[in-house]
């Protein structure tokens, strides 16, 4: 399944020869589709690659990897394109855009699904929901399966069923030398260990096999409180989620109420704090389960109710479409201390617009049933992870939003655990990457040396080969 190319792989004739061997698409500057296909989710990154390859299958992927290795150009692998740092694109290099590879095969008998590397979580939800099944993912269904899984992945089902990567049974991977291999607990276990949290450093995953769990209709959605009650709500939330059963997921956030049809007009533009709930237990117990949440503080707007799980997982898609400007900062939190809550009370209500946010996600429950060294994802000993995101339609507004994000993050920094979820990192340097992986970094670097010694897969939060 490997291909070889001459040292002049970037010449026009070599590109033509390469393209003739691809069943999918090879898109270049000047092609009609180029300007649309080169876009990524975060519009802050307006880059112009030399080639964009949309493979039809794993053979196309292997051919492209071989070509990229010979060409010596920047090489980006794009699944859903959501990477906030813009690693899914580059200037003057090659982009492997997996978006044409979205096939999903669900096996309800053994509760598993094979998912191709270009699928989104919306694709997965639609396929698995037909069987009343799901696997943990995030909170935006347009997110790519590949990036979220390889970074660890958490969302509404995590307290009950663990990280997305904890539910990975096996993966088919094209390695830096163009081979297609399988990674699982029994085949290439070192690679399998690294894929579960180590990001895109080790190869191109052409398909993932996930464990599925019985999840169908859930009870959930957001409930909003006045921003001036944020301290009370956060103290309640801290204590509530520490003792909540695994069937209960809930994250906290600061928002400005959008001018959306589901928001009463008198609340448009109101600054609020919110708890977003997902109860996966018996529906006849849902009202009792959420009763304390409804009583945490005066309620401004309660949108909780029964809904299909895919409806909750796509609830915020329309609010955060592709093409916005994003700047993020994040950290893990061992505890939500009173001192940290005081920082949130100060900065959270300054959220600059209805697109920007601060979210605090729980990482207790099933995440902590796995040891820190069992997968590349290291932070099994924290209770929360926070993200502060400045988001806007206009680049001119971003300097002010970025300042809010940085000031807020800096004020929280003394209360954080030191590292950050790898999928929330911007371009923050090697020290932050090492802090994110902690004691697992040395093993990751050794695994990188084995599977990608020349660091072909470097357009990511890069683990440098040992």
């Amino acid at each position: 399944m490997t291909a070889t190319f001459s040292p002049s792989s970037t010449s026009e004739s070599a590109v033509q020869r390469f393209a003739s061997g691809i069943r999918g698409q090879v898109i270049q500057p000047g092609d009609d589709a180029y300007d649309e296909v080169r876009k990524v989710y975060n519009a802050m990154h307006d880059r112009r690659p030399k080639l964009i390859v949309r493979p039809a299958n794993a053979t196309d992927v292997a051919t492209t990897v071989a070509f990229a290795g010979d060409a010596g150009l920047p090489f980006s692998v794009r699944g859903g394109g959501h990477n906030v740092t813009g690693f899914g694109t580059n200037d003057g290099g090659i982009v492997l855009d997996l978006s044409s590879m979205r096939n999903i095969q669900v096996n309800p008998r053994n509760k598993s699904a094979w998912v191709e590397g270009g699928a989104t979580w919306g694709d997965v939800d639609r396929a698995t929901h037909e069987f009343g099944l799901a696997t943990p993912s995030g909170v935006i269904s347009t997110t790519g399966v590949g990036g979220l899984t390889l970074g660890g992945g958490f969302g509404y089902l995590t307290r009950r069923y663990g990280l997305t990567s904890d539910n990975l049974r096996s993966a088919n991977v094209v390695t830096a030398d163009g081979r297609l291999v399988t990674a699982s607990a029994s085949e290439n276990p070192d690679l399998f260990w690294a894929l579960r949290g180590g990001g895109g450093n080790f190869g191109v995953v052409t398909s993932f096999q996930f464990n599925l769990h019985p999840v169908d209709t859930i009870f959930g959605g957001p409930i909003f409180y006045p921003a001036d009650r944020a301290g009370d709500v956060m103290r309640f939330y801290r204590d509530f989620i520490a003792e909540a059963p695994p069937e209960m997921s809930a994250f906290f956030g600061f928002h400005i109420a959008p001018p959306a049809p589901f928001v009463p007009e008198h609340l448009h533009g109101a600054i609020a704090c919110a708890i977003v709930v997902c109860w996966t237990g018996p529906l006849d117990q849902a009202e009792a389960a959420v009763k304390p949440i409804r009583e945490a503080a005066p309620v401004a707007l309660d949108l909780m109710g029964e809904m299909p799980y895919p409806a909750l997982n796509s609830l915020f898609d329309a609010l955060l479409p592709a093409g916005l400007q994003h700047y993020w900062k994040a950290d893990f939190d061992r505890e939500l201390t009173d001192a940290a809550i005081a920082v949130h009370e100060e900065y959270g209500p300054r959220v600059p617009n209805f697109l920007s946010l601060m979210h605090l996600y729980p990482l207790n429950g099933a995440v902590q049933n796995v040891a820190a060294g069992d997968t590349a994802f290291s932070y099994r000993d924290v209770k929360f992870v926070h993200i502060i995101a400045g988001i806007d339609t206009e680049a001119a507004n971003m300097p002010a939003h970025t300042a809010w994000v940085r000031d807020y993050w800096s004020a929280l920094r003394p209360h954080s655990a030191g590292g950050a979820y790898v999928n929330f990192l911007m371009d923050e340097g090697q020290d932050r990457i090492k802090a994110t992986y902690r004691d697992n970094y040395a093993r990751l670097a050794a695994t990188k040396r084995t599977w990608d010694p020349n660091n072909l897969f470097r357009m990511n939060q890069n683990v440098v080969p040992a």
Side-chain angles (χ1 to χ4, degrees), residues 293-425:
I293 298 172
R294 287 186 164 134
E295 296 175 349
V299 174
L301 181 63
D302 183 349
L303 297 175
M304 293 191 295
E306 291 186 18
M307 65 183 79
Y309 174 71
L312 178 63
N313 210 28
S314 59
L315 197 63
F316 303 111
D317 289 5
L319 182 64
L320 296 170
L324 301 175
Q325 307 264 328
H326 290 252
Y327 182 82
W328 302 356
K329 293 284 280 185
D331 266 328
F332 290 114
D333 303 294
R334 298 192 190 284
E335 303 281 350
L336 181 59
T337 64
D338 287 343
I341 289 174
V343 173
H344 286 293
E345 285 184 284
E346 179 180 356
Y347 287 93
R350 300 182 194 175
V351 57
N353 59 13
F354 71 84
L355 297 170
S356 301
L357 54 90
M358 191 293 298
H359 282 174
L360 183 74
Y361 297 101
L363 287 179
N364 60 348
V367 178
Q368 298 180 339
N369 295 337
V370 178
D374 286 353
T375 70
F377 187 96
S378 170
Y379 275 88
R380 303 284 182 167
D381 55 345
V382 297
K383 295 182 179 178
F384 303 98
V385 58
H386 66 259
I387 178 173
I388 310 159
I391 307 171
D392 208 289
T393 57
E394 303 297 328
N397 296 330
M398 289 305 295
H401 300 349
T402 298
W404 170 73
V405 171
R406 288 175 173 168
D407 290 347
Y408 195 166
W409 178 83
S410 296
L412 283 175
R413 186 73 176 146
H415 311 288
S416 79
Y421 174 47
V422 69
N423 286 341
F424 286 168
L425 282 175

Side-chain angles (χ1 to χ4, degrees), residues 59-77:
T59 300
D60 279 358
V61 172
T63 301
T64 305
V65 169
F67 180 77
D70 199 37
L73 298 174
F75 180 50
S76 298
V77 181

Side-chain angles (χ1 to χ4, degrees), residues 41 82 104 119-129 133-145 148-149 153-158 162 164 210 212 215-222 249 251 276-280 303 305-321 359 361:
Y41 185 76
H82 273 232
I104 298 167
T120 68
W121 286 108
D123 298 330
V124 176
D125 290 342
R126 285 186 291 273
T128 59
H129 186 68
L133 300 168
T135 199
S137 58
V139 298
I140 301 285
S141 79
T142 57
T143 303
V145 168
L148 185 110
T149 303
F154 56 83
Y156 294 115
L157 304 181
T158 293
T164 308
F210 293 106
L212 301 179
V215 179
D216 195 344
T217 300
I218 60 90
F219 190 97
S249 175
F251 70 84
V276 183
V277 173
C278 178
W279 167 259
T280 58
L303 297 175
E306 291 186 18
M307 65 183 79
Y309 174 71
L312 178 63
N313 210 28
S314 59
L315 197 63
F316 303 111
D317 289 5
L319 182 64
L320 296 170
H359 282 174
Y361 297 101

Side-chain angles (χ1 to χ4, degrees), residues 12-96:
E12 184 175 344
S13 61
V15 169
Q16 289 176 349
R17 184 164 66 91
F18 160 70
S20 69
I22 295 292
R23 288 188 59 192
Q25 295 177 284
V26 178
I27 300 165
Q28 303 181 59
D31 291 347
D32 290 343
Y34 178 78
D35 280 331
E36 185 61 32
V37 173
R38 69 185 181 87
K39 293 178 181 177
V40 291
Y41 185 76
N42 184 359
M44 289 182 72
H45 307 293
D46 182 21
R47 295 174 184 160
R48 304 186 67 84
K50 179 181 179 66
L51 295 176
I52 302 171
V53 183
R54 283 184 155 175
N57 51 36
T59 300
D60 279 358
V61 172
T63 301
T64 305
V65 169
F67 180 77
D70 199 37
L73 298 174
F75 180 50
S76 298
V77 181
R78 179 194 304 166
H82 273 232
N83 181 272
V84 70
T85 316
F87 289 135
T89 187
N90 60 63
D91 281 317
I94 300 167
V95 171
L96 180 65

